[in-house]
Amino acid sequence: MGYVKLVFLMLFSLLCQLAFCSSLPHLCPKDQALALLQFKQMFPKYAYSKLLSWNKSIDCCSWDGVHCNEATGQVIELNLASYGLQGKFHSNSSLFKLSNLKRLDLSENNFSGSYISPKFGELSSLTHLDLSYSNFTGLIPVEISRLSKLHVLRIGSDLRFKPQNFELLLKNLTQLRELHLDHVNISSTIPLNFSSHLTTLHLDDTQLYGILPERIFHLSNLQFLYLSFNPQLNVKFPTTKWNSSASLQMLHLYGVNATGRIPESFGHLTSLGGLTIVSCNLSGSIPKPLWNLTNIGILYLGDSHLEGPIPSNVSGMQYLHTLYLSSNHLNGTIPSWIFSLPSLWNLDLSDNHFSGNIQEFKYKTLVRVSLKQNQLQGPIPKSLLNHHPLWFLLLSHNNLSGEIASTICNLKTLRVLDLGSNNLEGTIPLCLGEMSGLVILDLSNNSLSGTINTTFNIGNVLEVITFNGNKLEGKVP
Ligand SMILES: *[C@@H]1O[C@H](CO)[C@@H](O)[C@H](O)[C@H]1NC(C)=O
Ligand SMILES: *[C@@H]1O[C@H](CO)[C@@H](O)[C@H](O)[C@H]1NC(C)=O
Ligand SMILES: *[C@@H]1O[C@H](CO)[C@@H](O)[C@H](O)[C@H]1NC(C)=O
Ligand SMILES: *[C@@H]1O[C@H](CO)[C@@H](O)[C@H](O)[C@H]1NC(C)=O
Ligand SMILES: *[C@@H]1O[C@H](CO)[C@@H](O)[C@H](O)[C@H]1NC(C)=O
Ligand SMILES: *[C@@H]1O[C@H](CO)[C@@H](O)[C@H](O)[C@H]1NC(C)=O
Ligand SMILES: *[C@@H]1O[C@H](CO)[C@@H](O)[C@H](O)[C@H]1NC(C)=O
Ligand SMILES: *[C@@H]1O[C@H](CO)[C@@H](O)[C@H](O)[C@H]1NC(C)=O
Ligand SMILES: *[C@@H]1O[C@H](CO)[C@@H](O)[C@H](O)[C@H]1NC(C)=O
Ligand SMILES: *[C@@H]1O[C@H](CO)[C@@H](O)[C@H](O)[C@H]1NC(C)=O
Ligand SMILES: *[C@@H]1O[C@H](CO)[C@@H](O)[C@H](O)[C@H]1NC(C)=O
Ligand SMILES: *[C@@H]1O[C@H](CO)[C@@H](O)[C@H](O)[C@H]1NC(C)=O
């Protein structure tokens, strides 16, 4: 009998070596299959349509979302992101019996009103834990800090830390690469002691305060840094070369306290694809080296006190698609290189002190143009009136002159046209009344003349129409 068994085992391992193994069942331990089935039963039947494959007559290693160690059969990964699970996640959940789990993703389910159990801290093999967008609530238990092997931690929304526990978490998770805590009420300073492996920090809207440790900018693998909506967070940028300068791809600071100038050291951030420093009390000029960042796609530097001109000798920004410098004190003419950017689709220089003419745009890529509230003069460039993908054209509160060419009606996708408070003259092109997609039309406070056609506004979706302050006759339909 023993002999037959041995032969069978040898045959089995031979078959395995011939790569039949993947089609053979894993050896999912019974207790782990049972733990998973108990977990499933915690949710009402209608709330787990994706767990139908969790059937005890099938090996648990082939259930949806379950991954086992090839050799031992132990369940090491559970990926239940967006599984439509709805119901309480109790702290007696049988999931905590799966002590070999390395990755656990419970994101985008609805455990509405459940607390994060301290027992998560017992899953000591975890390298990835994702509890984001799952409607957990309450305190993040200090026991999470025991998961010292974590590389990736995502926890989100309506949660908070007890004082000091955020500090403890950062100190203890020495292997951490990615930390996502957006919208968690952290209410703490960022301590000095955190993993040197960090690549990604998402800490938007987390009530952080105090001084951001400069060490963050010197993490040599840092790629993504999001710290927006922390008005009490005091950010000072390094003035020398940053150690993250070659790796940093995204830097988003919207509504933090970054009072002062943008240092020239930004010129070293050669991998930067997106830079947002909006509503941050910045002052001074935009440093010249910033215009040398040839990989940049998004540049948002709005709602501050930036001043001075934009340099005229800039080249190589071929990926720049969003240039938002609205609400500063920038002046001088709009340099010609801006009109020749090959990828530009959102240009917003509104509410500054730019003067001079608007030049012709070289490429037809723009979807949104806002140059309103400046001191621009001259005619509306012809290229704009023939700019097919345009949805928003806002040029109000300038000194633009000349007539509104009827070619403007070629802008078939236009939704918002705001030319108010300029010196435009002549008549309103008849065809404007037939533009089918126009929602807002503002031509007020110009020198337009003629009679408003009674057929205006027929068959379109206009919601706002403003013609006052002109020399027009007739009635607004
Ligand atoms: C489990 O699978 C078997 C065989 O495929 C099937 O007969 C049975 O109805 C399934 N049970 C559940 C609970 O889905
Ligand atoms: C787990 O706890 C909840 C509430 O505390 C209880 O209703 C449920 O029966 C418990 N489940 C098990 C398997 O003990
Ligand atoms: C979380 O709960 C809120 C309110 O109960 C609900 O609007 C939201 O959709 C829920 N989120 C998920 C992912 O189910
Ligand atoms: C989430 O669950 C709560 C409580 O079970 C429920 O009131 C709410 O409607 C759910 N949200 C969604 C989007 O299903
Ligand atoms: C921090 O980690 C150490 C060992 O890695 C552990 O002994 C300690 O309990 C952890 N502290 C907390 C608060 O989890
Ligand atoms: C955040 O938590 C602190 C205490 O930890 C509390 O004082 C504050 O009101 C909370 N903020 C919000 C927006 O919930
Ligand atoms: C940071 O934490 C580590 C591990 O807990 C400790 O060895 C080190 O002394 C701490 N460093 C500082 C500056 O607190
Ligand atoms: C930058 O990196 C170098 C080399 O890895 C290191 O010696 C230096 O201390 C780092 N600087 C900072 C401010 O972290
Ligand atoms: C912003 O930081 C400056 C110093 O850098 C400080 O004087 C000011 O009080 C801070 N403002 C807020 C709202 O914290
Ligand atoms: C910008 O880059 C060019 C070459 O790519 C270089 O000649 C110039 O010195 C740089 N300017 C600044 C301010 O870094
Ligand atoms: C632009 O503003 C600066 C001060 O912010 C001023 O010195 C300069 O003369 C202005 N240039 C123009 C062309 O208005
Ligand atoms: C009003 O528009 C219609 C067609 O768009 C045109 O036939 C008519 O002559 C116009 N009337 C005036 C007074 O311009």
Side-chain angles (χ1 to χ4, degrees):
M1 210 43 202
Y3 179 70
V4 171
K5 217 173 185 174
L6 187 66
V7 168
F8 177 79
L9 276 177
M10 283 168 67
L11 205 67
F12 183 82
S13 67
L14 182 70
L15 282 172
C16 255
Q17 280 163 21
L18 291 171
F20 281 95
C21 247
S22 55
S23 58
L24 287 169
H26 292 287
L27 303 165
C28 170
K30 269 214 176 78
D31 60 325
Q32 299 192 11
L34 190 65
L36 287 167
L37 286 173
Q38 280 171 350
F39 174 72
K40 172 180 168 179
Q41 276 157 17
M42 297 292 283
F43 303 100
K45 278 214 168 60
Y46 64 85
Y48 60 68
S49 60
K50 287 195 183 167
L51 295 187
L52 290 177
S53 69
W54 290 27
N55 179 329
K56 69 171 170 251
S57 59
I58 304 168
D59 186 273
C60 90
C61 295
S62 52
W63 295 352
D64 283 347
V66 180
H67 296 278
C68 298
N69 180 309
E70 296 272 334
T72 64
Q74 303 283 346
V75 176
I76 52 167
E77 256 188 75
L78 207 49
N79 179 3
L80 304 179
S82 304
Y83 262 52
L85 302 177
Q86 183 174 325
K88 280 275 192 298
F89 196 104
H90 293 296
S91 72
N92 58 10
S93 171
S94 53
L95 268 200
F96 298 121
K97 292 179 187 157
L98 302 172
S99 56
N100 299 295
L101 277 179
K102 287 187 162 61
R103 290 173 180 253
L104 177 57
D105 188 345
L106 296 169
S107 63
E108 292 176 52
N109 289 293
N110 183 7
F111 306 121
S112 185
S114 305
Y115 298 114
I116 297 180
S117 167
K119 288 201 174 168
F120 279 102
E122 291 171 14
L123 300 172
S124 58
S125 300
L126 282 179
T127 60
H128 291 68
L129 176 61
D130 193 340
L131 304 178
S132 59
Y133 303 104
S134 292
N135 274 358
F136 280 107
T137 186
L139 285 169
I140 295 174
V142 66
E143 286 79 2
I144 297 285
S145 309
R146 290 200 196 139
L147 302 173
S148 57
K149 294 182 180 156
L150 277 184
H151 284 200
V152 177
L153 177 61
R154 293 174 191 252
I155 301 183
S157 60
D158 183 27
L159 288 152
R160 64 203 157 85
F161 277 99
K162 255 199 181 140
Q164 274 87 52
N165 281 356
F166 175 65
E167 200 168 324
L168 218 75
L169 181 93
L170 283 189
K171 184 179 159 204
N172 246 22
L173 304 187
T174 54
Q175 300 304 307
L176 210 56
R177 271 72 171 161
E178 289 186 30
L179 180 61
H180 301 249
L181 295 173
D182 290 341
H183 312 301
V184 170
N185 183 353
I186 296 177
S187 289
S188 163
T189 56
I190 300 184
L192 274 171
N193 210 345
F194 46 78
S195 161
S196 58
H197 305 289
L198 281 174
T199 62
T200 303
L201 259 183
H202 277 260
L203 298 173
D204 287 345
D205 181 25
T206 47
Q207 335 281 328
L208 290 167
Y209 59 85
I211 297 171
L212 180 75
E214 189 170 317
R215 195 187 147 214
I216 294 219
F217 296 111
H218 290 300
L219 291 166
S220 51
N221 298 313
L222 191 67
Q223 293 171 23
F224 304 98
L225 182 58
Y226 293 81
L227 295 169
S228 295
F229 309 111
N230 289 300
Q232 316 265 39
L233 185 64
N234 214 315
V235 177
K236 272 213 170 66
F237 302 109
T239 49
T240 56
K241 191 170 176 177
W242 313 7
N243 271 7
S244 62
S245 59
S247 58
L248 196 62
Q249 293 172 32
M250 290 284 172
L251 177 58
H252 283 261
L253 304 173
Y254 191 116
V256 304
N257 186 4
T259 309
R261 293 171 166 267
I262 307 174
E264 306 233 324
S265 59
F266 270 75
H268 296 295
L269 305 175
T270 48
S271 298
L272 209 60
L275 175 62
T276 303
I277 316 180
V278 176
S279 292
C280 290
N281 275 324
L282 294 170
S283 56
S285 58
I286 302 175
K288 279 223 171 75
L290 199 74
W291 302 109
N292 247 13
L293 299 177
T294 49
N295 285 311
I296 211 153
I298 301 178
L299 186 56
Y300 269 98
L301 297 175
D303 307 323
S304 274
H305 311 289
L306 297 169
E307 59 184 22
I310 301 177
S312 57
N313 56 340
V314 169
S315 62
M317 297 193 102
Q318 71 264 36
Y319 304 119
L320 191 63
H321 61 75
T322 297
L323 179 60
Y324 179 96
L325 303 175
S326 172
S327 303
N328 282 297
H329 311 302
L330 300 168
N331 65 5
T333 56
I334 303 176
S336 58
W337 63 267
I338 287 184
F339 300 97
S340 308
L341 288 168
S343 311
L344 196 63
W345 62 267
N346 184 2
L347 175 64
D348 195 330
L349 306 179
S350 63
D351 195 7
N352 277 292
H353 307 303
F354 289 112
S355 54
N357 285 21
I358 306 175
Q359 297 179 31
E360 298 291 347
F361 285 88
K362 190 166 173 195
Y363 299 99
K364 294 194 175 184
T365 49
L366 285 147
V367 173
R368 185 174 180 279
V369 174
S370 178
L371 303 175
K372 65 182 186 182
Q373 286 168 283
N374 279 293
Q375 289 131 37
L376 298 165
Q377 59 193 43
I380 302 171
K382 286 196 182 69
S383 52
L384 263 183
L385 300 182
N386 232 326
H387 207 101
H388 305 304
L390 210 59
W391 283 56
F392 303 90
L393 180 56
L394 305 117
L395 303 176
S396 64
H397 297 90
N398 279 296
N399 300 318
L400 300 175
S401 55
E403 300 198 353
I404 304 172
S406 61
T407 48
I408 199 164
C409 304
N410 293 340
L411 301 173
K412 300 289 183 218
T413 53
L414 203 63
R415 295 290 177 274
V416 178
L417 178 61
D418 182 4
L419 305 178
S421 301
N422 279 294
N423 299 319
L424 299 168
E425 54 196 14
T427 56
I428 299 174
L430 267 181
C431 58
L432 257 188
E434 287 156 23
M435 286 184 71
S436 55
L438 212 54
V439 179
I440 295 175
L441 173 61
D442 190 341
L443 303 177
S444 62
N445 300 312
N446 278 291
S447 303
L448 298 167
S449 55
T451 307
I452 301 171
N453 196 306
T454 50
T455 63
F456 211 87
N457 192 24
I458 288 175
N460 60 28
V461 291
L462 264 177
E463 280 173 15
V464 178
I465 179 167
T466 320
F467 283 171
N468 62 291
N470 284 293
K471 298 175 214 154
L472 295 163
E473 290 166 20
K475 272 205 313 205
V476 176

XYZ file of all heavy atoms in Angstrom, residues 110-146:
288
model
N -18.624 48.788 0.582
C -19.395 49.647 1.482
C -19.596 48.960 2.827
O -20.590 48.302 3.062
C -20.750 49.974 0.822
C -21.582 50.924 1.671
O -21.113 51.449 2.684
N -22.824 51.137 1.268
N -18.581 49.133 3.691
C -18.691 48.603 5.050
C -19.189 49.717 5.961
O -18.685 49.920 7.075
C -17.333 48.082 5.530
C -16.708 47.077 4.607
C -15.463 47.303 4.031
C -17.373 45.906 4.287
C -14.886 46.372 3.176
C -16.803 44.968 3.427
C -15.564 45.205 2.863
N -20.161 50.429 5.457
C -20.650 51.651 6.080
C -20.833 51.500 7.586
O -21.509 50.588 8.062
C -21.972 52.019 5.427
O -22.419 53.240 5.912
N -20.206 52.403 8.342
C -20.366 52.402 9.791
C -19.475 51.409 10.511
O -19.523 51.324 11.728
N -18.640 50.664 9.797
C -17.755 49.709 10.479
C -16.490 50.407 10.943
O -16.001 51.325 10.294
C -17.353 48.576 9.530
O -18.482 47.956 8.979
N -15.947 49.942 12.063
C -14.659 50.428 12.523
C -13.569 49.552 11.945
O -13.796 48.381 11.643
C -14.598 50.407 14.053
C -15.618 51.297 14.690
C -16.652 50.771 15.459
C -15.564 52.676 14.494
C -17.607 51.599 16.024
C -16.518 53.509 15.052
C -17.539 52.970 15.812
O -18.477 53.793 16.351
N -12.375 50.123 11.810
C -11.226 49.307 11.398
C -10.771 48.533 12.625
O -10.364 49.128 13.628
C -10.082 50.186 10.858
C -10.550 50.919 9.593
C -8.855 49.345 10.563
C -9.499 51.825 8.980
N -10.860 47.236 12.545
C -10.552 46.415 13.714
C -9.056 46.439 14.035
O -8.218 46.396 13.133
C -10.988 44.979 13.432
O -10.446 44.129 14.414
N -8.729 46.466 15.328
C -7.312 46.355 15.724
C -6.697 45.054 15.216
O -5.485 44.946 15.104
C -7.359 46.349 17.253
C -8.700 46.876 17.621
C -9.620 46.591 16.487
N -7.553 44.085 14.893
C -7.035 42.783 14.459
C -6.306 42.850 13.122
O -5.571 41.925 12.772
C -8.174 41.775 14.383
C -8.653 41.360 15.742
C -9.380 40.051 15.642
C -9.756 39.536 17.015
N -10.698 38.419 16.908
N -6.521 43.931 12.350
C -5.723 44.073 11.130
C -4.236 44.036 11.476
O -3.420 43.583 10.694
C -6.064 45.373 10.396
C -7.304 45.282 9.543
C -8.506 45.816 9.982
C -7.264 44.651 8.300
C -9.650 45.723 9.199
C -8.406 44.559 7.518
C -9.607 45.092 7.960
N -3.907 44.505 12.686
C -2.521 44.519 13.130
C -1.931 43.139 13.347
O -0.724 42.997 13.521
N -2.792 42.114 13.329
C -2.280 40.746 13.518
C -1.862 40.102 12.201
O -1.232 39.049 12.194
C -3.357 39.883 14.194
C -3.600 40.296 15.632
C -4.814 39.598 16.232
O -5.311 38.607 15.652
O -5.280 40.077 17.289
N -2.230 40.723 11.094
C -1.871 40.148 9.791
C -0.438 40.583 9.462
O -0.176 41.382 8.569
C -2.846 40.616 8.717
C -4.311 40.223 8.964
C -5.233 40.886 7.954
C -4.477 38.705 8.908
N 0.484 39.996 10.203
C 1.829 40.570 10.248
C 2.643 40.342 8.977
O 3.726 40.892 8.841
C 2.581 40.024 11.458
O 2.621 38.612 11.353
N 2.134 39.520 8.045
C 2.876 39.328 6.795
C 2.513 40.352 5.731
O 3.112 40.363 4.652
C 2.588 37.934 6.222
O 2.969 36.952 7.132
N 1.513 41.186 6.027
C 1.011 42.100 4.989
C 2.097 43.033 4.459
O 2.797 43.693 5.227
C -0.143 42.953 5.536
C -1.522 42.308 5.641
C -2.520 43.307 6.223
C -2.021 41.809 4.286
N 2.190 43.106 3.147
C 3.010 44.129 2.502
C 2.129 45.188 1.841
O 2.578 46.295 1.603
C 3.939 43.527 1.434
O 3.136 42.892 0.438
C 4.897 42.521 2.028
N 0.875 44.803 1.504
C -0.071 45.732 0.890
C -1.401 45.680 1.635
O -1.976 44.601 1.765
C -0.338 45.358 -0.575
C 0.826 45.584 -1.472
N 1.972 44.840 -1.376
C 1.007 46.457 -2.491
C 2.827 45.262 -2.299
N 2.271 46.238 -2.991
N -1.873 46.826 2.074
C -3.181 46.874 2.722
C -3.948 48.069 2.162
O -3.479 49.207 2.222
C -3.018 47.011 4.244
C -4.338 47.159 5.033
C -5.238 45.945 4.841
C -4.055 47.373 6.527
N -5.098 47.789 1.604
C -5.907 48.857 1.012
C -7.315 48.827 1.605
O -8.088 47.899 1.351
C -5.974 48.696 -0.509
C -6.531 49.949 -1.183
O -7.203 50.752 -0.494
O -6.292 50.121 -2.390
N -7.628 49.825 2.421
C -8.957 49.940 3.024
C -9.625 51.238 2.571
O -10.513 51.760 3.228
C -8.849 49.929 4.552
C -8.147 48.735 5.193
C -8.070 48.906 6.704
C -8.876 47.437 4.862
N -9.182 51.766 1.416
C -9.689 53.075 1.003
C -11.066 52.965 0.355
O -11.441 51.915 -0.167
C -8.700 53.729 0.037
O -8.502 52.932 -1.095
N -11.798 54.029 0.376
C -13.123 54.131 -0.241
C -14.036 52.966 0.119
O -14.716 52.410 -0.725
C -13.003 54.292 -1.765
C -12.182 55.489 -2.128
C -10.878 55.346 -2.576
C -12.695 56.764 -1.952
C -10.104 56.464 -2.853
C -11.927 57.880 -2.228
C -10.640 57.725 -2.680
O -9.879 58.829 -2.939
N -14.021 52.579 1.372
C -14.863 51.463 1.802
C -15.775 51.847 2.942
O -16.386 50.992 3.555
C -13.994 50.285 2.240
O -13.344 49.751 1.126
N -15.843 53.149 3.229
C -16.744 53.654 4.251
C -16.475 53.132 5.652
O -17.384 53.049 6.461
C -18.204 53.379 3.857
C -18.741 54.487 2.959
O -18.046 55.446 2.674
N -19.978 54.352 2.535
N -15.215 52.788 5.922
C -14.842 52.561 7.318
C -14.914 53.908 8.022
O -14.731 54.958 7.411
C -13.415 52.015 7.421
C -13.302 50.547 7.138
C -12.743 50.091 5.959
C -13.749 49.606 8.063
C -12.627 48.736 5.696
C -13.639 48.250 7.816
C -13.078 47.810 6.628
N -15.137 53.885 9.318
C -15.261 55.140 10.045
C -14.558 55.044 11.394
O -14.102 53.969 11.786
C -16.767 55.494 10.207
O -16.885 56.777 10.789
C -17.479 54.479 11.091
N -14.421 56.173 12.068
C -13.833 56.159 13.411
C -12.325 56.308 13.411
O -11.746 56.909 12.518
N -11.713 55.723 14.417
C -10.268 55.845 14.605
C -9.505 54.797 13.806
O -9.968 53.666 13.666
C -9.914 55.661 16.081
C -10.218 56.807 17.032
C -10.037 56.327 18.476
C -9.302 57.990 16.751
N -8.337 55.177 13.328
C -7.426 54.185 12.738
C -6.655 53.578 13.901
O -5.953 54.294 14.622
C -6.472 54.850 11.725
C -7.300 55.388 10.553
C -5.417 53.871 11.255
C -6.513 56.191 9.556
N -6.803 52.279 14.124
C -6.216 51.698 15.340
C -4.695 51.732 15.301
O -4.087 51.563 14.247
C -6.742 50.257 15.331
C -7.063 49.967 13.909
C -7.478 51.271 13.300
N -4.119 51.925 16.449
C -2.664 52.025 16.555
C -1.996 50.721 16.115
O -0.848 50.705 15.674
C -2.255 52.424 17.995
C -2.602 51.316 18.990
C -0.781 52.779 18.069
N -2.762 49.627 16.192
C -2.200 48.312 15.840
C -1.740 48.228 14.385
O -0.914 47.373 14.044
C -3.227 47.206 16.124
C -3.414 46.881 17.599
C -4.299 47.884 18.342
O -4.806 48.837 17.705
O -4.469 47.721 19.566
N -2.253 49.101 13.525
C -1.790 49.114 12.126
C -0.270 49.338 12.079
O 0.422 48.856 11.193
C -2.512 50.235 11.326
C -4.018 49.970 11.256
C -1.954 50.373 9.915
C -4.450 48.890 10.305
N 0.238 50.054 13.086
C 1.683 50.336 13.147
C 2.519 49.079 13.348
O 3.735 49.115 13.240
C 2.002 51.298 14.292
O 1.190 52.417 14.223
N 1.852 47.970 13.684
C 2.604 46.719 13.860
C 2.944 46.060 12.528
O 3.749 45.143 12.490
C 1.776 45.721 14.665
C 1.621 46.123 16.099
C 1.251 44.910 16.926
N 0.746 45.341 18.217
C -0.288 44.786 18.833
N -0.912 43.756 18.287
N -0.680 45.232 19.999
